[in-house]
């Protein structure tokens, strides 16, 4: 991502690897939005995976994924233009 010597901040996970493992979050979902996947998976299990029951949790997670995507694209464009 960014080099600390350039004065940029590193992104940090908001949830630990142990918490992700305890919540049994699949590896492909363990990214910077993983802290929102845990409540989504819990809601889905509690409601027997009924799609319309966890709309709020899913929306929060999808917004986070989209903003993460935009951030990575901006960073890529910035590095490509150097």
């Amino acid at each position: 991502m960014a080099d600390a010597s350039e004065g940029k901040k590193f992104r940090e996970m908001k949830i630990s690897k142990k918490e992700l493992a305890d919540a049994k979050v699949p590896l492909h979902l363990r990214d910077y939005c993983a802290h929102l996947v845990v409540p989504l998976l819990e809601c889905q299990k509690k409601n027997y995976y009924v799609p319309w029951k966890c709309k709020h949790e899913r929306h929060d997670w999808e917004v986070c994924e989209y903003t993460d995507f935009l951030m990575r694209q901006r960073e890529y464009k910035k590095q490509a233009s150097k």
Side-chain angles (χ1 to χ4, degrees):
M1 173 92 203
D3 191 337
S5 62
E6 295 176 10
K8 296 180 183 176
K9 284 179 30 178
F10 283 104
R11 293 178 62 199
E12 294 182 15
M13 295 287 288
K14 295 182 181 180
I15 188 169
S16 70
K17 290 181 181 181
K18 175 147 179 37
E19 290 171 318
L20 290 172
D22 291 345
K24 299 180 182 176
V25 176
L27 291 176
H28 70 278
L29 296 177
R30 296 183 186 190
D31 56 5
Y32 291 105
C33 297
H35 63 284
L36 296 171
V37 172
V38 174
L40 174 60
L41 293 177
E42 289 173 359
C43 178
Q44 288 176 337
K45 287 177 188 173
K46 185 178 83 175
N47 293 300
Y48 302 104
Y49 296 93
V50 178
W52 56 85
K53 291 282 186 174
C54 303
K55 286 183 182 178
H56 180 71
E57 290 85 354
R58 177 170 289 282
H59 177 71
D60 290 344
W61 174 68
E62 288 175 346
V63 167
C64 181
E65 287 287 323
Y66 182 67
T67 54
D68 179 53
F69 169 74
L70 291 177
M71 190 182 317
R72 287 184 284 119
Q73 290 300 313
R74 280 188 224 118
E75 185 67 29
Y76 173 76
K77 287 180 183 178
K78 214 183 281 185
Q79 288 181 357
S81 66
K82 286 185 180 180

